[in-house]
């Protein structure tokens, strides 16, 4: 996105800029990486830009008694190369002496001299490049809008599925762990969430003493009527020495134990002010991978320094930044939030973040993250023990797979059918089922109170299957989901038979029908004896 804006900048002052000021701070060493960055970014504007460029040194107060020429000579070949590339044109600004207007006057005089050398010509811009940029910008906005619509459709569907299940999360406490690279703004984000200077930052004395977060730290405070526990963790670099990497990874794992019985959410902090490359994605996967694959169900991307976006939407940034960031967002279930870390005046950004975290917790059925979970081998319906039933863990996993498939199906653009859609005689209108078990389902004019898994299965097979995505017919997942639907109806019917002493005549056709009848009759006879 930065590259695009740099190229786009020269088209903001048609017919073209008279001068390009290449700002270099004296407080930073002009090393090989700095030189390489200058070459890459200035190269975006072609070689013709150099004859219109002046090096503007800032932080001139850092020089002290040293002259600018002495500093250029002592800095090495890299800075000397830059000065020669710009035709030995440079100027120095003293940031502390802003009242000195002569430094601005002298700069403008040097600009006029350069313009005269260029015979009054400004930096010429290629009209074809301008048109291509505008086309790319429009295409980028369209793709960003598609991302927005996709996320909105998924969230709408998920909220309908989970409607009425907010009571799943009834705790008065919310536990959050902040993870991410160094200088991502984790500590600042923690202070913003807790509305107070609880974690040391670059502006506090404690941070200047220890330089950065060295180990996991937990702080807590009551915010918006809820007790929040926030754990800050040490950050990592893309290229970290092995010993330091092991230490950071140990701290990431240890963060889980600081908020027992386990965190509800991991906020993966990504700074908008820095690029996100494939190397960053690998570093994230390497560190969070220590917490097993299930950590992603509890993870949300938290973009910091949102003020860098200006008037752009976060989806536009996600689209322009590239596939690495898009893969990360999708890996986190398209859950993300933007935070402006420069002030706490806007309490709505924290309120919105907590709402999104709660929705994620409800999506996880109120369960917090734990590193080790013991497998439950108890059948889902204990009264059907010995019937080859799935365990509760397997049942939940199948249900999660169905929901994930449904969320992927609702964002697929359906292909236009050449044949008109004809509603079947016994079909019902389209609806998104609620997981609250409060909405009756019309099947064969009978009202049956389905469980969540059955309603998801019915909706997925009958309605989501209309999209271009595969409906899953003939696969193991669809077979198990249909089995779950049949078993849930079976459970209700058998319980009714036990209560009323007879098999209901409205039993639905299913693979388990005959066995349900036999089981119900045998149970009735056994009870009568």
């Amino acid at each position: 996105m930065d590259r695009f804006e740099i190229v786009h900048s020269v088209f903001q002052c048609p017919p073209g800029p008279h001068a390009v000021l290449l700002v270099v701070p004296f407080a930073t060493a002009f090393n090989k990486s700095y030189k390489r960055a200058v070459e890459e970014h200035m190269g975006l504007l072609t070689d013709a830009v150099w004859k219109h460029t002046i090096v503007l040194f800032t932080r001139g107060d850092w020089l002290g008694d040293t002259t600018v020429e002495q500093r250029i000579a002592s800095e090495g070949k890299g800075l000397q190369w830059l000065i020669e590339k710009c035709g030995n044109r440079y100027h120095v600004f003293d940031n502390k002496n802003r009242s000195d207007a002569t430094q601005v006057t002298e700069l403008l005089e040097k600009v006029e001299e350069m313009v005269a050398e260029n015979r009054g010509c400004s930096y010429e811009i290629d009209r074809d490049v301008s048109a291509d940029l505008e086309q790319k910008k429009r295409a980028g906005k369209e793709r960003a809008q598609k991302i927005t619509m996709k996320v909105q459709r998924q969230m709408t569907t998920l909220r309908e599925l989970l409607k009425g299940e907010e009571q799943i999360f009834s705790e008065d406490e919310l536990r959050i762990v902040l993870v991410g690279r160094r200088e991502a703004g984790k500590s600042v984000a923690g202070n913003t969430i807790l509305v107070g200077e609880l974690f040391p930052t670059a502006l506090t004395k404690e941070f200047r003493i220890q330089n950065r977060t060295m180990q996991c730290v937990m702080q807590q405070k009551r915010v918006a009527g809820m007790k929040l526990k926030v754990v800050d963790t040490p950050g990592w670099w893309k290229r970290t020495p092995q010993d330091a990497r092991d230490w950071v990874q140990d701290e990431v794992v240890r963060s889980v134990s600081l908020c027992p019985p386990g965190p509800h959410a991991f906020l993966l902090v990504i700074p908008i002010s820095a690029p996100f490359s494939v190397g960053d994605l690998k570093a994230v996967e390497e560190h969070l991978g220590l917490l097993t694959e299930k950590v992603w169900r509890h993870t949300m991307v938290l973009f910091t320094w949102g003020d860098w976006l200006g008037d752009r939407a976060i989806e536009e940034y996600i689209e322009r930044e590239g596939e690495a960031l898009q893969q990360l967002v999708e890996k986190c279930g398209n859950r993300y939030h933007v935070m402006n870390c420069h002030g706490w005046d806007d309490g709505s950004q924290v309120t919105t973040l907590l709402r999104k975290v709660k929705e994620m917790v409800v999506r996880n059925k109120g369960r917090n993250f734990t590193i080790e979970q013991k497998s439950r081998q108890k059948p889902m319906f204990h009264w059907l023990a010995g019937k080859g039933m799935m365990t509760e863990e397997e049942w939940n996993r199948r249900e999660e797979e169905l929901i994930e498939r449904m969320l992927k199906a609702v964002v697929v653009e359906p292909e236009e059918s050449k044949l008109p859609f004809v509603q079947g005689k016994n079909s019902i209108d389209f609806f998104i089922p609620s997981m609250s078990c409060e909405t009756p389902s019309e099947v064969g004019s009978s009202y049956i109170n389905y469980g969540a898994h059955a309603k998801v299965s019915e909706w997925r097979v009958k309605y989501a299957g209309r999209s271009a995505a595969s409906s899953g017919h003939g696969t193991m997942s669809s077979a198990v989901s249909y089995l779950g639907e049949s078993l849930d109806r079976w459970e209700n019917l058998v319980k009714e038979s036990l209560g009323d002493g007879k098999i209901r005549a409205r039993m639905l056709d299913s693979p388990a029908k005959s066995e349900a009848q036999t089981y119900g009759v045998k149970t009735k006879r056994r009870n009568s004896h």
Side-chain angles (χ1 to χ4, degrees):
M1 189 173 71
D2 290 342
R3 293 188 180 96
F4 178 87
E5 292 298 334
I6 288 175
V7 177
H8 192 257
S9 65
V10 297
F11 298 97
Q12 301 303 303
C13 49
H18 290 97
V20 175
L21 300 181
L22 178 54
V23 182
V24 177
F26 271 136
T28 304
F30 197 90
N31 51 26
K32 291 182 179 180
S33 61
Y34 203 128
K35 178 178 179 291
R36 183 170 59 252
V38 169
E39 289 179 306
E40 290 177 355
H41 289 82
M42 294 295 287
L44 299 172
L45 303 177
T46 71
D47 288 338
V49 74
W50 291 108
K51 64 180 182 179
H52 300 274
T53 303
I54 296 177
V55 178
L56 178 59
F57 292 109
T58 57
R59 300 289 182 183
D61 47 287
W62 280 58
L63 289 175
D65 297 332
T66 306
T67 64
V68 61
E69 289 76 16
Q70 291 174 337
R71 177 59 185 267
I72 293 173
S74 63
E75 193 65 22
K77 294 182 179 181
L79 188 56
Q80 295 171 17
W81 164 86
L82 178 63
I83 297 299
E84 293 176 1
K85 196 78 173 173
C86 296
N88 292 313
R89 294 182 295 269
Y90 57 87
H91 188 68
V92 182
F93 264 1
D94 186 344
N95 296 67
K96 289 188 175 181
N97 191 11
R98 297 185 180 181
S99 60
D100 184 9
T102 58
Q103 56 182 353
V104 179
T105 305
E106 293 175 358
L107 171 63
L108 295 179
E109 291 176 354
K110 293 179 180 180
V111 170
E112 291 176 355
E113 292 177 2
M114 181 180 64
V115 173
E117 292 175 1
N118 293 324
R119 298 179 181 181
C121 297
S122 59
Y123 173 71
E124 295 183 1
I125 56 179
D126 191 337
R127 297 298 175 184
D128 293 336
V129 174
S130 177
D132 184 58
L133 281 175
E134 289 299 326
Q135 183 179 359
K136 288 182 178 179
K137 192 171 185 178
R138 287 192 299 268
K141 287 186 177 181
E142 291 177 358
R143 289 192 295 268
Q145 290 176 354
K146 289 184 178 180
I147 294 177
T148 304
M149 294 176 61
K150 177 179 71 173
V151 174
Q152 288 178 349
R153 285 199 296 266
Q154 286 185 335
M155 291 305 299
T156 301
T157 303
L158 193 58
R159 285 169 182 167
E160 286 295 322
L161 287 173
L162 302 176
K163 184 181 295 182
E165 296 208 0
E166 293 81 2
Q167 68 275 9
I168 290 179
F169 179 65
S170 58
E171 295 186 42
D172 185 42
E173 181 178 276
L174 196 61
R175 300 178 292 276
I176 298 173
V177 174
L178 300 168
V179 294
R181 53 165 285 184
R182 289 185 186 177
E183 300 177 358
K186 297 186 297 296
S187 300
V188 177
N191 290 336
T192 304
I193 295 172
L194 296 176
V195 196
E197 286 282 356
L198 300 179
F199 296 106
T201 65
L203 301 178
T204 61
K205 181 179 179 181
E206 292 81 2
F207 185 87
R208 289 193 293 270
I209 293 175
Q210 68 178 23
N211 192 24
R212 61 179 180 269
T213 303
M214 302 295 292
Q215 59 182 4
C216 294
V217 179
M218 193 274 289
Q219 299 289 352
Q220 56 185 333
K221 186 178 179 181
R222 183 165 290 276
V223 177
M226 176 170 288
K227 184 178 180 181
L228 298 182
K229 288 186 176 180
V230 179
V231 178
D232 190 11
T233 61
W236 59 76
W237 289 121
K238 286 187 292 186
R239 301 176 183 87
T240 307
Q242 187 60 45
D243 54 346
R245 184 184 306 153
D246 295 341
W247 157 66
V248 172
Q249 291 176 350
D250 291 342
E251 288 296 311
V252 170
V253 175
R254 193 173 74 88
S255 66
V256 178
S257 63
L258 292 184
C259 49
H264 293 103
F266 289 88
L267 297 184
L268 178 56
V269 182
I270 303 294
I272 295 177
S273 57
F276 190 88
S277 63
V278 176
D280 291 294
L281 177 61
K282 290 181 179 178
V284 170
E285 292 177 337
E286 178 183 355
H287 288 80
L288 289 188
L290 299 171
L291 302 175
T292 71
E293 192 68 19
K294 64 186 176 184
V295 71
W296 299 107
R297 291 183 53 198
H298 300 265
T299 303
M300 177 187 300
V301 178
L302 178 62
F303 292 105
T304 52
W305 316 118
D307 51 296
W308 278 64
L309 290 173
D311 57 353
R312 293 186 295 267
I314 182 61
E315 288 78 15
E316 187 174 351
Y317 168 77
I318 294 173
E319 189 279 327
R320 285 189 182 180
E321 196 62 21
E323 294 184 1
L325 183 59
Q326 294 168 19
Q327 290 177 12
L328 178 64
V329 172
E330 291 181 0
K331 202 172 184 67
C332 296
N334 290 313
R335 295 181 294 268
Y336 53 84
H337 184 69
V338 184
M339 179 173 289
N340 184 353
C341 301
H342 283 301
W344 304 330
D345 298 334
D346 185 10
S348 61
Q349 61 178 351
V350 177
T351 304
T352 305
L353 172 63
L354 296 180
R355 176 178 57 79
K356 292 179 179 180
V357 171
K358 290 179 183 177
E359 289 178 349
M360 181 174 64
V361 176
V362 174
R363 165 74 174 81
N364 292 324
K365 300 181 180 179
R367 295 190 293 265
N368 56 270
F369 174 81
T370 55
I371 296 181
E372 295 181 357
Q373 290 183 346
K374 295 182 179 179
S375 178
R376 303 178 183 178
Q377 298 301 328
K378 184 178 179 181
M380 187 69 175
F381 303 123
H382 59 85
W383 50 280
L384 292 176
K387 299 290 182 179
M389 299 293 295
M390 291 183 293
T391 64
E392 182 176 356
E393 182 179 355
E394 293 171 341
W395 190 280
N396 291 332
R397 181 173 59 83
R398 294 292 187 183
E399 182 180 334
E400 293 300 329
E401 289 178 356
L402 279 174
I403 295 178
E404 291 296 332
R405 289 169 57 193
M406 181 189 302
L407 294 178
K408 291 179 180 179
V410 296
V411 299
V412 175
E413 296 293 338
E415 297 180 357
E416 294 185 1
S417 177
K418 297 181 180 179
L419 299 176
F421 174 74
V422 180
Q423 187 172 3
K425 180 179 179 181
N426 295 325
S427 64
I428 61 177
D429 292 336
F430 176 85
F431 73 100
I432 298 177
S434 170
M435 302 260 303
S436 62
C437 302
E438 296 174 353
T439 305
S441 178
E442 293 185 3
V443 182
S445 72
S446 299
Y447 288 91
I448 295 182
N449 189 15
Y450 291 169
H453 47 273
K455 290 196 292 182
V456 171
S457 173
E458 180 182 38
W459 187 92
R460 178 64 182 85
V461 173
K462 289 188 177 182
Y463 303 111
R466 294 178 185 172
S467 68
S470 172
S471 63
H473 283 292
T475 64
M476 180 62 70
S477 296
S478 62
V480 174
S481 63
Y482 183 76
L483 174 62
E485 180 181 354
S486 302
L487 290 173
D488 195 56
R489 301 181 187 180
W490 183 13
E491 177 190 10
N492 289 333
L493 291 170
V494 173
K495 288 183 178 179
E496 289 176 1
S497 69
L498 293 177
D500 297 343
K502 62 179 180 179
I503 300 294
R504 299 290 184 183
R506 58 182 176 143
M507 175 177 288
L508 303 175
D509 291 333
S510 70
K513 175 179 177 181
S514 59
E515 188 174 354
Q517 291 175 330
T518 304
Y519 181 81
V521 172
K522 288 182 179 180
T523 306
K524 174 186 174 185
R525 291 175 179 174
R526 182 169 61 251
N527 289 344
S528 64
H529 287 299

